[in-house]
């Protein structure tokens, strides 16, 4: 995957390459990242990149000239925008299939609409909260895509993940058995794998019903649950009612 990022604050992206799974993926050439400063494309004598909105309104708008020049000839332009479609794992999976993506990060009140109309293939938001710009959303999107690229994490974890997209994770424990007076649930020490699997499933379903009932509904709608999972879901829902 070849990422090209266009931003007014390219230094934001310095951290992305330096840690953990993403760093290793870069070292193994699973992806490349080129970051350009939109300001460098401004032909204005003061290197201006914003201007007042026509017909008034609050804030400033990113002016088209530097953006058009930065975008010329680029493929698959994604504009990170609070007006975009909300990012989901389905979208991430789709985008991970491209060979090349261009991520455009906005600032101020956004960019001139004519740039969107001419160059942008897709507008993406990462959620319903207000950020100061598109840089962190671009990093979120890249992180989510990179871990799906071949060879970045084991196929095993990806398969597990795709089967459990609609359930929250069960509680995890590691050594020691007693920490600060708190013990590990005894069943996890029993060595009975069938019992442990069922315990974890029940725990995951209870937690999801409590915190994210919308996930359960969506999983059912998409036919994503195994018959075993469905049985347990219905059983625990009945239990909740009584
Ligand atoms: C006054 C209206 N605001 C829209 C809700 C203006 C506005 C707020 C924040 C314009 C731009 C921004 C900067 N945000 C992003 O560029 C952004 C974003 C976000 O704020 N939340 C979630 N996803 C994204 S993707 C890009």
């Amino acid at each position: 995957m070849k990422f090209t990022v266009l931003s007014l604050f390219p230094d934001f992206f310095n951290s992305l390459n330096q840690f953990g799974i993403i760093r290793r993926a870069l070292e193994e050439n699973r992806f490349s990242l080129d970051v350009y400063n939109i300001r460098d494309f401004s032909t204005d004598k003061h290197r201006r990149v914003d201007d007042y909105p026509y017909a008034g309104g609050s804030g400033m708008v990113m002016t088209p000239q530097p953006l058009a020049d930065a975008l010329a000839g680029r493929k698959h332009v994604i504009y990170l925008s609070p007006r975009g479609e909300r990012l989901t794992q389905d979208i991430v999976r789709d985008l991970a299939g491209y060979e090349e993506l261009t991520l455009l990060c906005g600032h101020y009140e956004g960019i001139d609409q004519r740039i969107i109309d001419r160059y942008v293939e897709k507008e993406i938001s990462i959620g319903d909260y207000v950020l100061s710009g598109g840089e962190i959303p671009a990093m979120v999107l890249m992180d989510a895509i990179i871990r799906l690229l071949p060879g970045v994490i084991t196929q095993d974890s990806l398969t597990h993940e795709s089967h459990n997209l609609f359930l929250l994770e069960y509680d995890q424990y590691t050594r020691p058995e007693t920490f600060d007076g708190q013990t590990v649930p005894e069943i996890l020490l029993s060595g009975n794998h069938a019992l442990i699997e069922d315990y974890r499933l029940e725990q995951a379903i209870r937690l999801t019903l409590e915190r994210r009932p919308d996930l359960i509904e969506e999983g059912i709608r998409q036919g994503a649950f195994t018959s075993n999972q469905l049985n347990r879901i219905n059983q625990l829902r009945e239990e909740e009612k009584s």
Side-chain angles (χ1 to χ4, degrees):
M1 167 72 69
K2 178 183 185 323
F3 291 111
T4 302
V5 171
L6 307 176
S7 162
L8 285 175
F9 302 102
D11 290 343
F12 254 104
F13 297 88
N14 291 342
S15 66
L16 186 75
N17 289 331
Q18 293 184 34
F19 308 102
I21 290 172
I22 304 301
R23 174 183 174 164
R24 200 186 60 215
L26 182 68
E27 285 166 357
E28 292 173 352
N29 297 314
R30 311 283 180 196
F31 75 96
S32 67
L33 172 58
D34 294 309
V35 186
Y36 294 91
N37 189 337
I38 293 165
R39 195 175 295 280
D40 292 342
F41 292 86
S42 175
T43 56
D44 176 85
K45 65 172 183 256
H46 304 293
R47 304 220 306 159
R48 291 269 307 256
V49 290
D50 63 332
D51 207 336
Y52 296 95
Y54 271 122
S58 64
M60 304 294 275
V61 176
M62 286 172 72
T63 200
Q65 176 275 318
L67 291 167
D69 288 354
L71 285 165
R74 306 223 186 259
K75 292 182 194 139
H76 306 304
V77 178
I78 294 175
Y79 174 39
L80 288 308
S81 155
R83 302 204 309 183
E85 182 180 356
R86 176 111 56 93
L87 185 63
T88 62
Q89 193 65 15
D90 278 347
I91 297 176
V92 172
R93 226 178 279 120
D94 175 51
L95 294 176
Y98 287 67
E99 278 182 14
E100 192 172 336
L101 289 174
T102 305
L103 306 184
L104 174 58
C105 307
H107 259 271
Y108 316 117
E109 287 306 301
I111 71 180
D112 190 290
Q113 184 60 35
R114 290 167 293 187
I115 293 297
I116 300 174
D117 295 343
R118 178 65 56 86
Y119 296 98
V120 173
E121 199 166 301
K122 202 177 182 64
E123 285 185 69
I124 290 179
S125 159
I126 63 163
D128 297 334
Y129 34 80
V130 182
L131 302 170
S132 62
E135 281 75 14
I136 290 171
M139 285 192 270
V140 166
L141 178 59
M142 286 192 282
D143 185 288
I145 289 172
I146 289 164
R147 51 188 297 292
L148 295 188
L149 299 175
V152 174
I153 59 178
T154 67
Q155 192 53 51
D156 228 43
S157 7
L158 291 180
T159 305
H160 174 84
E161 194 169 279
S162 69
H163 287 147
N164 293 284
L165 211 52
F166 299 98
L167 287 178
L168 301 180
E169 278 277 5
Y170 49 77
D171 299 347
Q172 311 251 33
Y173 298 88
T174 184
R175 293 190 296 175
E177 214 179 294
T178 303
F179 181 76
D180 205 9
Q182 302 161 289
T183 56
V184 173
E186 209 164 287
I187 194 165
L188 299 182
L189 312 173
S190 71
N192 186 333
H193 295 297
L195 218 58
I196 289 170
E197 200 184 325
D198 189 63
Y199 169 83
R200 285 179 162 168
L201 176 61
E202 174 174 332
Q203 223 236 323
I205 294 170
R206 279 191 195 286
L207 193 68
T208 313
L209 283 171
E210 190 178 302
R211 293 189 184 169
R212 294 294 305 281
D214 60 302
L215 282 181
I216 302 267
E217 291 315 317
E218 186 60 18
I220 291 172
R221 211 184 56 76
Q222 292 192 27
F225 294 122
T226 65
S227 56
N228 184 40
Q229 288 174 328
L230 266 183
N231 288 339
R232 293 298 259 140
I233 287 168
N234 289 324
Q235 191 186 344
L236 292 169
R237 273 172 160 172
E238 283 307 311
E239 210 175 281
E240 253 183 18
K241 285 184 203 157
S242 56

